[in-house]
Amino acid sequence: MDGTPRNGTPLPCSPLTSPQARAIAEAFRPAQAWGSRRDYYYTRGKLGSDPLYDGVLQQLPEDGQPVLDLGCGLGLFAHVLRQRGRGQPYLGVDVDAAKIERARQASEGLPAVRFECLDVQAALPSHVGHVLLLDVVQYLDAGPQQTLLRAASARVSPGGRLLLRTPLATGDGRDRTTRVADRLAWLVGWMGTRPRHYPQPKTLLATLSEAGLRVAAPRPLHGRTPFNSWLVVAERPE
């Protein structure tokens, strides 16, 4: 795995409980009986099966610094933040205008939560604080991926963290399963672009280090899912 142990120590985290996932999913239930329940059931399934949110929250300092969520999709992390009593300002951006509109509608009533439609390959919003890149970078080619990592790192404050979950190019069964699943998500229209480049661990860590961040070794964050998900925690020294 190009310098990173193939089997790291998994983070001790778990998906949301069924009541927690259902409570958040209610925000995505359509007002009309005949409305689409796609987002409602997706949210229940995602939050109830993926340990992503618990794992990231464990690594996100409770220091009140704002959070920039790049490639936020429906903005589920904002709901989890508020459900867990975290009050720091949150800005989620995503290139999918339809998802951003649904995220806005579902987040009505959540304090200090905003969403913007933005391509992460364009100029990023002004921000100083924590930055999230969760299951995003594999949808960029290698060059734009490096550009995004540097731009995201530049927005991490002293004492702030860049929390990045991504598949890594490991060449094993999880790697192959993830590539197939990502491509299927594109083919069915859930993702607006196909996967383009799975980062090599050595290159990824070097890019973040060169940007002035102190980077910990990647740790598995896939839980009981079959995917090749790893969490990278990179912090800017005080």
Side-chain angles (χ1 to χ4, degrees), residues 62-74:
E62 296 189 56
D63 55 8
Q65 294 196 63
V67 175
L68 174 61
D69 189 355
L70 300 173
C72 66
L74 292 173

Side-chain angles (χ1 to χ4, degrees), residues 170-193:
T170 58
D172 56 9
R174 283 188 179 275
D175 185 355
R176 291 187 291 273
T177 297
T178 301
R179 291 170 188 263
V180 170
D182 280 347
R183 190 166 184 83
L184 285 174
W186 170 61
L187 290 172
V188 302
W190 183 251
M191 297 303 298
T193 185

